Amino acid sequence: MGGVADIARHFGLKAVYVLVAWGVTRVLEEGRKRFMRRRRRRSEETGADPAEAAAQPAAEAAASGAAGAPAPGRRDGGGGGGRYRLYRRALAEYTPSNPGWLREAVGYDAAALATDMSWQCPLLIQFLAKMAGQPGGPPLTQAVRPAVAASAPATGAAAGPLGITLGKQARKQLFALEPEVTYLNHGSYGAAFRLALEVQQWYQQQLEAQPVRFMETVALKALVAAVADAARFVGASPADVVPVTNATTAVNAVLAAVPLRRGDWVLMFNTTYPAVKSTIARVAAAAGASVIEVTLGMEELQRPALAVGAMQSALAALGGGGRRVRLAVLDHVASFPPLVMPVAAMTAVLKQVGATVLVDGAHAVGNVPGLQVPALGCDYYTTNLHKWGCSPKGAALLWAAPGPGPGGSERQAALRPLVTSHGFGLGFRGEWLWQGTSDMSSWLAVPAALAVLRGLGGPERLTARNAALVADAAAAMRRRWQAAAAAARATAPGTATAAPATRARVSGNGSAAAAAAAVAGPHPDELLQLGGGGDWAAGGGAPCMLAVQVPEPLRGYVGCGAAEAVALQRWLRYERGIEVPVVAAMGRLWVRLSAAAYNEPADYEALAAAVEELVRPQGGGGGVAAAAVAAT
């Protein structure tokens, strides 16, 4: 029995030893795991890997003593290969390899560059010298305002120091437009000045003659100077302005910089440009945010100042005083109807609810006089230079107010180009100066376009002339179409009374307003007008654009939808040589008229006569109607 007890005691002690050993092992393992977790946390907080840090001095010594040795901070995976580096905090640990020529360009001073002739185009230098050597031209007086009568000859006056008569002479000397086309659509893509195109071609030739020198010195110097010139043109500091290719690109960059999250709202209008609407929808959906579209009715479209009240009603409908609106996108000049919106007043309301405000001023430069972007109070502003600024296509600017922005970060620091390139880490200016290899010549020609605008008397004087021209021409056009429609109904068998139309908008000033008022009564034949001249500083209309309702019915057109708009625009373009946008909106067809330095009354007379062909009764059918249908 004693032997059995000894055996039991022996195995019992072994079991105790095993359990103790297992417990100690578990404790040590847990301690090791906790130690490793703490070390990893410290590593993440400090951005350093302890093992890597310990190996770094030896690696540095090896790197300094032998070619081909592992670089500092890299691990040798064995076998002579497998080297790599870990970036646990990439933005903090990564150091970009910015080229020296770009770092130098970030520090360029536009004022100092003015005396550097290495980058300046001789054509522009000659033009500016000519401008400086000539006395100023006569002011744009009432003599500039063309008569609206159909029989009146095209008249104009020499504008500014250039001394060029506006209209046909300006078209021939300043623009490259086809002479046989009646061009009434400057608002869509603009038309570049000849001088700007010649300057652009000079820079392109310099690029191909010595690409490296041009891209790394000439182009960047010229770009810095061009951005500074454009910034001054809109009353902004060059430090707050960066170059982009178009306003839509700028809108995309701003929407990417504004942090959105679920529960936020983005505000836009039914008049917002379609491409911008699409951008808002995509960005909001990706962030889980929602979109509210403020609807402007006919009353607000005829009196843009009422848009502020419509927006306030939309903010109230969201609850919480509208404070859930994270971002609002406003048009300075709507594409259609072409109205200048009271963006300063709207921005003030939106700032009260804490919203970030982006103003899309695609039509502003050269169209809205006295433009001072910082005075609007918005966070971001973008405008095209190739529309009413008459530069080559592909030039626009983006302005960002300095100071804290959305989410508390610095506004300009958070605003990055959609393309990351060599400017990474060089700050607001450096990031935007270089966005990969591209043809910068459109932007480099901007100073030439702005110089011609100044030579024509500046945007204020030129805009006053254009606003008067388009308002007078529209009044005559409406009167002519209304008379033709009334005559067609009177001679047509089984004439029916037309549905009453909404009272027309009377815009413009002086004789233009009087002429419009003469036909603005509440008659069945009355045609509507939206936009136009007027007190644009108070939001009363786009100076150089307006929309005029097309009379109906037109022979060969069964309705007023999008298909009819396309057919009529194509018929005017291909059959009558007239370029003008035709829009289907609010159950009507409209033509959007533009007035630029090259337009004159005869251009609008041609459009009035062409549309009148489709209004006058014609026996036998076919003819113009068939051509209109075929054009689709």
Side-chain angles (χ1 to χ4, degrees):
M1 296 296 295
V4 173
D6 291 339
I7 293 173
R9 188 165 47 251
H10 172 75
F11 284 104
L13 289 173
K14 278 194 171 185
V16 171
Y17 295 154
V18 170
L19 289 174
V20 170
W22 177 81
V24 171
T25 302
R26 290 294 305 272
V27 170
L28 291 175
E29 179 64 19
E30 287 297 319
R32 188 189 69 82
K33 289 180 179 179
R34 291 183 182 183
F35 173 77
M36 294 301 296
R37 282 197 295 267
R38 285 197 297 268
R39 191 169 68 166
R40 279 195 294 270
R41 281 198 297 269
R42 285 197 301 269
S43 173
E44 292 170 358
E45 291 171 359
T46 60
D49 186 338
E52 188 173 326
Q56 187 166 337
E60 290 177 350
S64 63
R74 292 177 180 259
R75 289 182 175 177
D76 190 345
R83 295 169 183 153
Y84 58 90
R85 180 169 183 174
L86 302 178
Y87 295 99
R88 298 188 182 276
R89 300 172 63 221
L91 288 179
E93 299 174 34
Y94 171 72
T95 302
S97 300
N98 306 114
W101 46 265
L102 185 54
R103 292 197 303 270
E104 181 181 1
V106 173
Y108 285 155
D109 176 44
L113 289 175
T115 59
D116 182 354
M117 306 302 293
S118 65
W119 60 270
Q120 300 190 44
C121 175
L123 298 173
L124 181 55
I125 295 174
Q126 295 169 10
F127 177 83
L128 295 175
K130 178 182 176 182
M131 291 276 295
Q134 292 186 358
L140 292 175
T141 62
Q142 290 296 321
V144 180
R145 181 188 295 276
V148 296
S151 59
T155 59
L162 284 181
I164 294 177
T165 302
L166 301 176
K168 283 186 177 180
Q169 183 187 3
R171 175 169 179 153
K172 181 178 181 181
Q173 295 186 9
L174 299 180
F175 295 91
L177 292 166
E178 294 178 353
E180 65 275 11
V181 174
T182 300
Y183 202 77
L184 299 175
N185 191 12
H186 192 89
S188 284
Y189 303 103
F193 289 125
R194 284 186 183 273
L195 176 64
L197 294 175
E198 292 168 356
V199 169
Q200 179 189 31
Q201 292 167 4
W202 183 86
Y203 278 116
Q204 289 174 331
Q205 291 169 358
Q206 298 301 305
L207 164 61
E208 299 307 330
Q210 224 288 22
V212 176
R213 181 185 63 200
F214 180 85
M215 295 299 288
E216 297 182 2
T217 57
V218 174
L220 291 173
K221 289 181 178 180
L223 183 57
V224 169
V227 170
D229 194 11
R232 289 189 295 268
F233 203 79
V234 298
S237 168
D240 302 330
V241 174
V242 291
V244 291
T245 54
N246 52 61
T248 304
T249 299
V251 169
N252 276 263
V254 171
L255 264 66
V258 176
L260 297 174
R261 59 187 180 185
R262 188 173 301 278
D264 289 341
W265 288 82
V266 181
L267 182 142
M268 65 181 186
F269 288 76
N270 59 331
T271 55
T272 298
Y273 191 59
V276 175
K277 282 186 175 182
S278 299
T279 305
I280 292 172
R282 171 171 287 177
V283 172
S290 303
V291 179
I292 179 169
E293 181 178 284
V294 181
T295 301
L296 302 181
M298 186 63 71
E299 186 177 10
E300 290 85 9
L301 296 177
Q302 295 185 21
R303 299 173 59 194
L306 298 179
V308 179
M311 185 186 71
Q312 288 175 315
S313 299
L315 293 174
L318 290 179
R323 296 192 176 278
R324 297 167 64 192
V325 174
R326 175 75 60 181
L327 173 67
V329 181
L330 310 178
D331 279 319
H332 199 164
V333 181
S335 179
F336 186 88
L339 302 169
V340 171
M341 305 304 294
V343 290
M346 299 168 85
T347 298
V349 171
L350 290 163
K351 285 299 178 182
Q352 292 176 358
V353 300
T356 297
V357 180
L358 162 64
V359 176
D360 178 4
H363 287 276
V365 165
N367 189 20
V368 175
L371 179 62
Q372 297 289 310
V373 168
L376 298 175
C378 57
D379 299 280
Y380 307 96
Y381 190 99
T382 182
T383 181
N384 287 320
L385 298 167
H386 56 243
K387 285 182 180 282
W388 300 91
C390 300
S391 78
K393 308 300 175 283
L397 65 83
L398 171 58
W399 173 86
S409 61
E410 209 281 328
R411 185 182 292 107
Q412 294 180 355
L415 183 59
R416 305 184 184 96
L418 300 178
V419 175
T420 300
S421 189
H422 289 318
F424 176 74
L426 292 182
F428 183 53
R429 186 191 218 181
E431 290 262 13
W432 290 87
L433 271 182
W434 187 272
Q435 300 177 49
T437 304
S438 63
D439 184 355
M440 304 181 194
S441 60
S442 295
W443 246 105
L444 307 189
V446 165
L450 299 182
V452 177
L453 278 179
R454 295 183 181 107
L456 292 174
E460 289 74 18
R461 300 173 70 197
L462 185 59
T463 298
R465 177 263 182 188
N466 292 341
L469 171 62
V470 74
D472 289 349
M477 188 178 298
R478 290 171 56 230
R479 181 169 59 245
R480 181 170 179 171
W481 287 350
Q482 287 170 171
R489 277 191 292 270
T491 58
T495 301
T497 302
T502 307
R503 184 175 181 84
R505 169 180 171 79
V506 180
S507 60
N509 46 54
S511 64
V519 293
H523 304 299
D525 295 335
E526 186 179 39
L527 298 177
L528 303 179
Q529 175 180 318
L530 296 174
D535 186 8
W536 49 80
C544 306
M545 294 190 296
L546 57 77
V548 176
Q549 182 187 352
V550 176
E552 55 180 282
L554 297 179
R555 190 173 65 256
Y557 294 82
V558 296
C560 297
E564 287 75 20
V566 171
L568 179 57
Q569 181 168 337
R570 288 180 176 175
W571 179 77
L572 289 168
R573 176 187 298 156
Y574 296 115
E575 301 299 326
R576 293 297 179 267
I578 301 172
E579 189 62 56
V580 66
V582 181
V583 181
M586 296 170 281
R588 302 170 176 87
L589 291 181
W590 307 77
V591 288
R592 190 191 70 181
L593 307 177
S594 297
Y598 51 80
N599 289 121
E600 57 185 22
D603 297 333
Y604 305 94
E605 288 288 339
L607 174 61
V611 174
E612 190 177 15
E613 292 181 36
L614 304 180
V615 177
R616 290 196 304 260
Q618 174 178 315
V624 173
V629 174
T632 62

